[in-house]
Amino acid sequence: MLNTPENYRSRPDAPSPDASVTAAADSLIHYLRQHADLADKGGYKIPADWSYQSQYHLLLALGRHHTLAPRPRGLTGMPERLCYSNSAH
């Protein structure tokens, strides 16, 4: 499980939440590059009118990192484990 500020439990030997998030982001970028390389080698058939060779190329080109920030005061929490429902609200 990703150690984010909301679910991070402090232990003397535990890595900081920021280190875990950075490692997860690095792992995701590595994954995207692997699949982009497969697409470059002809592993995917793409329509000629696409701007990018694959969704992996799109994410690598336009995706960006976001820094963690504490939850603003006064922001009410939403029920956990109901991500789709919460985002619809």
Side-chain angles (χ1 to χ4, degrees), residues 22-60:
T22 301
D26 290 343
S27 178
L28 175 62
I29 291 169
H30 177 73
Y31 175 85
L32 293 172
R33 286 185 179 145
Q34 283 180 319
H35 284 276
D37 288 343
L38 285 174
D40 290 339
K41 293 176 183 171
Y44 298 107
K45 300 288 185 201
I46 60 163
D49 60 340
W50 279 18
S51 297
Y52 295 92
Q53 289 180 307
S54 69
Q55 65 270 33
Y56 307 107
H57 288 90
L58 172 73
L59 286 169
L60 288 169

Side-chain angles (χ1 to χ4, degrees), residues 2-86:
L2 185 62
N3 289 327
T4 59
E6 292 80 25
N7 64 13
Y8 180 69
R9 302 293 182 257
S10 184
R11 296 187 326 254
D13 60 341
S16 72
D18 291 340
S20 296
V21 171
T22 301
D26 290 343
S27 178
L28 175 62
I29 291 169
H30 177 73
Y31 175 85
L32 293 172
R33 286 185 179 145
Q34 283 180 319
H35 284 276
D37 288 343
L38 285 174
D40 290 339
K41 293 176 183 171
Y44 298 107
K45 300 288 185 201
I46 60 163
D49 60 340
W50 279 18
S51 297
Y52 295 92
Q53 289 180 307
S54 69
Q55 65 270 33
Y56 307 107
H57 288 90
L58 172 73
L59 286 169
L60 288 169
L62 301 179
R64 53 193 172 115
H65 291 275
H66 294 276
T67 56
L68 294 176
R71 183 184 300 209
R73 286 187 174 186
L75 181 67
T76 11
M78 308 244 358
E80 292 184 16
R81 304 186 61 105
L82 297 174
C83 301
Y84 293 109
S85 174
N86 291 342

